Amino acid sequence: MTAAKHIELTTAAKCLFILFDSFKVSGTLKRNISDLNQIKLLLDLVHTKNMSRTAQRLGKTTSAISKNLQRLREELCDPLFIRQSSGLEPTTYALTLAAKLTKIQKDIDAAFDSESFEPRLFKGKITLAANAALIHQYQGELLLALTEQAPLANIEIVQWQEDSYQRILDGSINAGLHFLNENCTQSIMQYVFQRHEIVLVARAKHSASSVTEALSSPLAVLKIHGWNTDTVRFSRYLYQKGIEHNVRLQCEDFPSLLSCLERSNFVSPLPSFLCSDGLKALPLDEPGNEISSVVCIPSTHRNEPLYQWLVGLIKSLIPVKS
């Protein structure tokens, strides 16, 4: 550790000593934290109010979190959290302490910000969510890359659901693969990793040879949580152009949508990389019909090594078709 880093850490330790010294009552109540790692545990539990989620976020077991919490309770002479139906509710003392410890934790993190993150040594859980289109395109490559680079980690890839943005914020999902959402909360960072042309997809033997001809057929639309469940974006685009069309089918399951396209005269607006064998892509006449794929992570974690590694890994994946 450099001299500058040592000074930063020493300063944080002094602040911690002063903080706990101020909590003494008539010289009889002595509170202290013997392990600086316990600060992160306390702050994370105040945030998640859930031992299992904190265990996932810190790469530990729930049992270890429970033991460390009991140790904290003894050292700080306070229950810290009260178990309720909604989760672990912080006591007034825990909230007061957490507010003061946040700055100290930032100083401690700054003292070690040059420390490298080693994916191959990480033993925690990594959970990713991806929407129906992107999980179809990237899941194989992503699983292979994750298991190769983080062989000790517990990997989980789930399909994007209605609550996925919230789960990214509370830490039960580390990162998400989605389409750029203009209405997404600023609490979530969206890193663009690929742009795709939107085309009309139809079965290979469909009689249409142009978009105009294809739009006389019924439209099938892939519905994606957190992107177009409240409106059919392509339909809105066609209305703006004054183009007559007929949305007959809306489907959340991508394989089912593909099967429908292969066996009927339905056509569907999709990113060009989803046009597989047995189908054909009809380019739209208008320029600028693109969709961006993004990596979503909490804004508060954007500088953390684990999240930076995940974003870098996902952005490195190049689709077979674009």
Side-chain angles (χ1 to χ4, degrees):
M1 183 184 296
T2 65
K5 295 299 179 186
H6 178 73
I7 291 172
E8 290 175 7
L9 188 57
T10 302
T11 301
K14 287 181 178 178
C15 290
L16 190 61
F17 175 81
I18 293 171
L19 170 64
F20 285 113
D21 191 60
S22 69
F23 276 113
K24 292 180 180 179
V25 180
S26 303
T28 59
L29 185 59
K30 295 183 179 180
R31 291 166 164 164
N32 69 291
I33 292 180
S34 59
D35 185 346
L36 292 180
N37 291 320
Q38 300 283 61
I39 299 177
K40 184 172 289 187
L41 182 148
L42 176 64
L43 294 177
D44 204 272
L45 275 176
V46 168
H47 174 69
T48 66
K49 300 181 181 181
N50 185 291
M51 280 197 285
S52 295
R53 289 178 185 172
T54 289
Q56 291 176 6
R57 286 157 61 95
L58 300 184
K60 298 181 180 295
T61 65
T62 304
S63 175
I65 296 297
S66 179
K67 290 179 181 178
N68 287 334
L69 176 57
Q70 182 56 39
R71 179 179 168 188
L72 264 177
R73 284 168 166 161
E74 294 171 0
E75 291 181 344
L76 298 177
C77 307
D78 190 90
L80 298 177
F81 299 90
I82 307 300
R83 189 177 297 279
Q84 297 184 358
S85 57
S86 58
L88 296 175
E89 195 62 31
T91 64
T92 301
Y93 174 75
L95 291 173
T96 301
L97 185 58
K100 297 183 178 183
L101 286 176
T102 299
K103 172 62 170 63
I104 294 175
Q105 183 61 52
K106 288 181 179 179
D107 290 339
I108 294 172
D109 290 341
F112 293 100
D113 62 2
S114 63
E115 299 292 331
S116 61
F117 172 71
E118 294 287 349
R120 62 186 180 83
L121 301 178
F122 181 73
K123 297 182 179 181
K125 184 176 182 180
I126 298 173
T127 301
L128 303 181
N131 69 37
L134 296 178
I135 206 169
H136 173 82
Q137 174 68 10
Y138 290 103
Q139 183 169 240
E141 292 178 76
L142 192 52
L143 280 173
L144 183 61
L146 285 168
T147 54
E148 284 183 346
Q149 295 189 32
L152 304 179
N154 183 0
I155 311 295
E156 181 182 32
I157 299 181
V158 299
Q159 188 152 316
W160 192 284
Q161 300 295 330
E162 194 169 349
D163 64 346
S164 290
Y165 279 130
Q166 182 56 47
R167 291 187 63 196
I168 289 173
L169 289 175
D170 69 26
S172 56
I173 290 176
N174 297 106
L177 280 72
H178 207 24
F179 293 139
L180 183 66
N181 183 356
E182 301 87 348
N183 299 318
C184 183
T185 172
Q186 292 185 353
S187 297
I188 288 180
M189 299 288 293
Q190 300 183 90
Y191 295 94
V192 175
F193 67 92
Q194 197 72 332
R195 290 183 173 87
H196 316 282
E197 178 189 6
I198 296 294
V199 296
L200 270 185
V201 176
R203 64 189 177 96
K205 294 183 178 181
H206 196 289
S207 60
S209 58
S210 68
V211 169
T212 303
E213 292 178 1
L215 286 174
S216 64
S217 298
L219 276 175
V221 175
L222 180 64
K223 299 291 286 185
I224 296 176
H225 289 294
W227 189 67
N228 71 346
T229 47
D230 56 340
T231 180
V232 178
R233 289 181 176 234
F234 187 71
S235 181
R236 184 176 59 191
Y237 161 78
L238 293 177
Y239 277 126
Q240 291 172 348
K241 297 294 181 180
I243 300 174
E244 292 293 327
H245 60 284
N246 178 19
V247 178
R248 289 268 308 279
L249 173 65
Q250 298 182 45
C251 179
E252 294 183 5
D253 183 68
F254 181 65
S256 297
L257 178 66
L258 283 185
S259 178
C260 178
L261 293 176
E262 292 168 353
R263 302 180 184 187
S264 70
N265 278 332
F266 275 95
V267 297
S268 181
L270 292 170
S272 56
F273 68 81
L274 293 176
C275 186
S276 56
D277 294 340
L279 300 171
K280 64 180 178 181
L282 301 171
L284 300 180
D285 299 327
E286 296 287 333
N289 289 293
E290 291 185 337
I291 187 172
S292 296
S293 295
V294 297
V295 190
C296 303
I297 64 168
S299 298
T300 53
H301 292 5
R302 64 184 180 275
N303 293 323
E304 293 187 15
L306 169 63
Y307 288 84
Q308 290 180 340
W309 168 68
L310 283 173
V311 171
L313 183 148
I314 295 170
K315 291 177 72 173
S316 71
L317 298 176
I318 305 300
V320 177
K321 299 178 182 179
S322 61

